[in-house]
Amino acid sequence: YGISDDFERQALITWTIIVTVSSLIGDSIILLATIKYNAIRLKKVIVVVIQHLAVCDLLLTVFMVLPTTVALIADDWVMGGLIGHLHVHVPNTCYPANRLLTCAMTTLKLLLLKYPLRTSTWSRGRGHRICSLIWTLILCIYVPLVIGFLLYIRDTLNFDYTTYACYYNYDSPQAPQWLRYYNLIYIGLVIIIRVWSCW
């Protein structure tokens, strides 16, 4: 039940605080530098993808790392049900989005190098359209799961003291069979995206 060793718990609390603060500061600096000061001198389409990656990282920090840090400090889940649901769903959307955004950035860099004349007119708008397409794709695939979770197994949201994270009880008799299969398919797609993005 929880982390019983005080040194281990304090070390983990310190680590999560460092990760939270550095991520909040770093991603905020990236967004401020690229939006307000135009400080990063790269092609505009690449800068837009970097902005979307920073937003993705901020979402993960606020809805996953920060609640885990608070749970570690309190040794219990004190953030409430809404944050618990977001603690489950935000990482499930941001991880594959992050991978696809990273793939888009490397692909765009390759296209910029291979076709410099054709890509010279690519603007921020094109970058936002590409990133919006990625976010839309992930949300279209994941939203049926969110609806299924909230309709059928919303009340099974639990806090796990071994990982200090919230989770749903997928084996609940309230969960319909399609929800379990769709969840497996989604996990399979995320694994395929992760493997594909590592090549």
Side-chain angles (χ1 to χ4, degrees), residues 1-91:
Y1 182 76
I3 299 174
S4 57
D5 184 20
D6 284 342
F7 176 75
E8 184 179 337
R9 193 154 163 258
Q10 292 300 324
L12 193 54
I13 289 170
T14 304
W15 173 251
T16 57
I17 288 172
I18 290 169
V19 168
T20 302
V21 171
S22 62
S23 180
L24 289 174
I25 292 171
D27 291 325
S28 299
I29 288 172
I30 288 171
L31 289 173
L32 186 66
T34 57
I35 293 171
K36 187 173 183 182
Y37 298 109
N38 205 13
I40 297 179
R41 299 288 180 221
L42 292 171
K43 295 287 187 178
K44 293 176 183 176
V45 70
I46 299 295
V47 172
V48 169
V49 177
I50 291 171
Q51 291 170 349
H52 281 264
L53 283 166
V55 168
C56 190
D57 192 38
L58 277 173
L59 287 171
L60 284 169
T61 302
V62 170
F63 293 111
M64 192 182 95
V65 181
L66 183 62
T68 301
T69 305
V70 172
L72 276 165
I73 292 169
D75 202 25
D76 195 10
W77 185 261
V78 294
M79 300 294 283
L82 176 63
I83 300 296
H85 291 291
L86 291 171
H87 187 75
V88 173
H89 297 301
V90 168

